[in-house]
Every structure is written in C-alpha cells, then in structure tokens.
Amino acid sequence: MFKFAAASMGISMPARTESGVSGQSQMPVVQSIVAAAPAEPGKNKIVMYSPAFYQTCAVGGALACGVTHMAVTPIDVVKCNMQVDPKKFSGIGQSFSLVMKEQGAAALTRGWLPTLLGYGAQGAFKFGLYEYFKKTYADMAGPELAKQYQTVLFLAGSASAEFFADIALCPMEAVKVKVQTVPGFAKGLTDGLPKFIQQEGVAGLFRGVVPLWGRQIPYTMMKFGAFENVVQGLYTYVVPKPKNDCTKGEQLGVSFLAGYIAGVFCAVVSQPADNLVSRMNSQKGVPAAAIIKEMGWYQLFTRGLPLRIVMVGTLTGLQWGIYDAYKVSVGLPTTGSVEPAKPVEKK
C-alpha cells in the first residue's frame, strides 16, 4: 500500500538493479504479467505504473470504447429494438428495413452522442482502473502467487474496474436506450436527457446499474481474462517468432485477433443481462423479475445473440487494437504477457 500511495503522489519506486535487488518493488512480477514487450529505448518517457501511465491508459480506453461503440450505433439501434419488441422486429434484415421505413435512415444513428460520451467514460475507467487494480493485486499477492494465479489477477482486476466504469456509463446508457427504442421520445442527448430526468428523476438514470453490473462485469472479466490468455496462446502456438521479435504492426495484429476471439466469449456470457437492461430502460417501472418471467430463460440467453456476437466480437477486437495502438504511439508496450518458452527435454 505504501507503493500505491507513492505512485498516486507521482513518486516513482526504486528500479531493479543488475543484481536483481529492488527493495520492496514488485515491478518485475507485474511486468511479467502485464507487458512483456518493452518500448524502444529513448522513446518511453512514461514510467510504468506511474500516475502518467494510468492516465495514458484511461485516455486510450476512452478512445477505444467511445469511438468503436459510436461506430456501430446502427447495429445497436436494431439490436435494442429486437430485444424490446421481438414480435415487430423479428429478424436482422427485416429490422433494419423496418426502422428505416418507419423512422427514416437517420433513426439508425439516433443515440450516437450518449453512446460516445457514455462508453468513452466507461472505457476510461475500465482500462485505466484495470491496469491499476491488476498492479495492486499483484503487489498484494507477491511474486510467486502472482505468477501462479495470474488469471485470477486478470479477473479480479477487471471486475473491480468495471464496477466503477458502469456507474460512469449508466446515465448515458439509460438515455441512449430510451432514444433508440421509444419512437418520438427524443432526437438525441440534448433533448432526451432533460426529458428523461423530468419523467423519471435523476435516480432513474441509475435504475439500470444493477443489471448493468450483471451484464458488464462478467463481460469485462471475460474480455480481459480471455484476451490476456489468448495473447499468450497466440505467441506460444501460432506466431512463429517471439513477441519481442515481432514488429509493432504484427503485435497490434495479435491484439486485434485476441480481442475478437475474447469478444465472442464476452457476447455469450453477458447476453442475458443485455436483454434485461434493454427491456428495463425501455419500460418504465417494470421490475427485472417480471421481465425474466415474460421472456423466459431461453429467450433471455438467445434473443439477439447472433447479431451481438458479430457486434461485440468486432468491437472488442477493434478496442484492443485501438487501445494498444495508442499505447504504442506514446512509447508504451502492447498489452499481454508472454511466458518464456520452456526447453524441450530430449528423451
């Protein structure tokens, strides 16, 4: 905890010496878990795990999540309408056509601003706090346990970060869903937010935070835990050379592929809560239990799932690509640890 206090005040901890003695710093352990590809000498002016490092990660996360979610707003509009009114919006192609026919092509971009702001804020908390909690939990565990249970650290760090990230997202998510699924409610954020508060109060903006936690925390645990492990697997079994020998472009390609694979798992894990959040935000005062009873567990898990797999897989891949590209642009390494190859014993 002393190290955390020092980092929060901008005081860097002692670096490791050539003999391997470093006082109380656990930096070598965390580096083996977090970032195995060092930045080019002389270009990295940001000290790892310093306040500037976490701020950089937050900016990268805001760009990654805000821009990508905004870019798929048309898909999100159709997905939310399919979840809220499945009888009317029965298929992907039919739903796209019906939205444009009844509300015009502009309806497919409705809600882009609360999407950008809400998911931008969520991304900043998600990625910035993930790096912080992962480092903190690794320090608390110690070198041996941190290495042995690194996946547990990935899961714990991402769950802790997402708890706060969802509080930042919740108000904009509530307005977004209302704008996208209730025809005539509002054109966007500027008129939608005041109208929402007038009808449901400020507290109504956070009414969906519990189901949002139910959707996003498992999603984010899978997103970060699967990503980190898939990166290791790709470099171990697929990429024909060590990570440090790969170009930055090749490393970013691995980040995108690992992100896409992780995104498929994310969509499946978080689908029930996603359906629940959409219905709760579109129907005022309806409790979660009533929605679950109406939909049934099978529909809760499967309604809108194919479209969401495409959407979330692409989103997650792009997010990791953008996030790591931003880190590389400021001289930081890409995300993902690489365990050194073990020599093959000759029999």
Side-chain angles (χ1 to χ4, degrees):
M1 299 310 292
F2 287 107
K3 292 188 289 293
F4 159 63
S8 66
M9 293 184 289
I11 302 173
S12 60
M13 300 303 294
R16 186 177 184 178
T17 64
E18 293 183 3
S19 63
V21 179
S22 59
Q24 301 300 320
S25 175
Q26 299 294 330
M27 190 73 71
V29 175
V30 180
Q31 285 179 334
S32 69
I33 294 174
V34 182
E40 296 179 16
K43 289 188 177 182
N44 186 8
K45 297 181 180 179
I46 299 175
V47 178
M48 294 293 290
Y49 314 113
S50 65
F53 169 77
Y54 295 122
Q55 291 167 12
T56 300
C57 293
V59 172
L63 290 172
C65 293
V67 172
T68 52
H69 276 277
M70 182 186 70
V72 297
T73 296
I75 298 177
D76 194 37
V77 169
V78 171
K79 175 187 71 70
C80 287
N81 278 282
M82 290 176 66
Q83 292 173 331
V84 170
D85 193 351
K87 293 182 179 179
K88 182 177 181 180
F89 299 93
S90 57
I92 297 174
Q94 178 262 355
S95 298
F96 269 103
S97 299
L98 189 57
V99 169
M100 289 190 290
K101 180 180 179 181
E102 292 187 348
Q103 304 176 43
L108 292 175
T109 62
R110 189 168 294 157
W112 69 269
L113 184 55
T115 297
L116 174 64
L117 297 179
Y119 282 93
Q122 185 209 39
F125 280 88
K126 185 198 301 276
F127 282 88
L129 288 180
Y130 170 67
E131 299 287 2
Y132 161 70
F133 282 120
K134 183 169 60 172
K135 166 71 165 63
T136 301
Y137 294 157
D139 286 349
M140 292 170 62
E144 293 184 6
L145 289 177
K147 183 176 181 180
Q148 184 178 359
Y149 297 103
Q150 61 174 356
T151 298
V152 176
L153 297 180
F154 300 151
L155 298 177
S158 57
S160 300
E162 190 61 34
F163 177 86
F164 296 99
D166 289 342
I167 296 173
L169 167 64
C170 198
M172 292 297 101
E173 177 75 358
V175 175
K176 174 189 78 72
V177 172
K178 200 80 167 181
V179 168
Q180 291 177 343
T181 61
V182 180
F185 175 76
K187 294 180 179 180
L189 178 64
T190 54
D191 57 339
L193 180 59
K195 188 173 182 179
F196 190 103
I197 294 175
Q198 182 182 19
Q199 291 183 354
E200 303 192 30
V202 175
L205 293 171
F206 296 92
R207 187 167 64 93
V209 71
V210 173
L212 197 59
W213 280 330
R215 180 187 81 183
Q216 290 297 128
I217 290 179
Y219 166 91
T220 301
M221 292 172 70
M222 183 66 71
K223 175 178 181 174
F224 284 87
F227 173 82
E228 299 263 18
N229 282 286
V230 170
V231 166
Q232 289 186 15
L234 289 175
Y235 281 114
T236 302
Y237 301 108
V238 179
V239 180
K241 53 186 176 181
K243 179 176 180 179
N244 289 345
D245 293 340
C246 294
T247 65
K248 293 300 181 184
E250 291 170 339
Q251 292 182 23
L252 292 175
V254 170
S255 293
F256 173 79
L257 180 58
Y260 195 98
I261 294 171
V264 174
F265 292 105
C266 291
V268 175
V269 167
S270 61
Q271 182 64 16
D274 185 63
N275 274 313
L276 199 58
V277 169
S278 295
R279 293 292 291 270
M280 288 185 69
N281 282 328
S282 66
Q283 300 177 13
K284 180 180 178 181
V286 180
I291 294 174
I292 294 173
K293 183 178 180 180
E294 176 190 348
M295 293 183 66
W297 286 104
Y298 178 79
Q299 291 297 325
L300 199 66
F301 273 85
T302 60
R303 184 175 293 169
L305 181 59
L307 183 60
R308 192 157 183 267
I309 285 177
V310 175
M311 176 177 143
V312 173
T314 305
L315 270 177
T316 309
L318 289 173
Q319 284 171 6
W320 278 113
I322 292 171
Y323 176 66
D324 274 350
Y326 180 76
K327 288 174 67 178
V328 168
S329 73
V330 296
L332 289 171
T334 58
T335 310
S337 62
V338 182
E339 291 293 333
K342 297 181 180 179
V344 180
E345 296 182 2
K346 295 182 179 181
K347 296 183 179 180

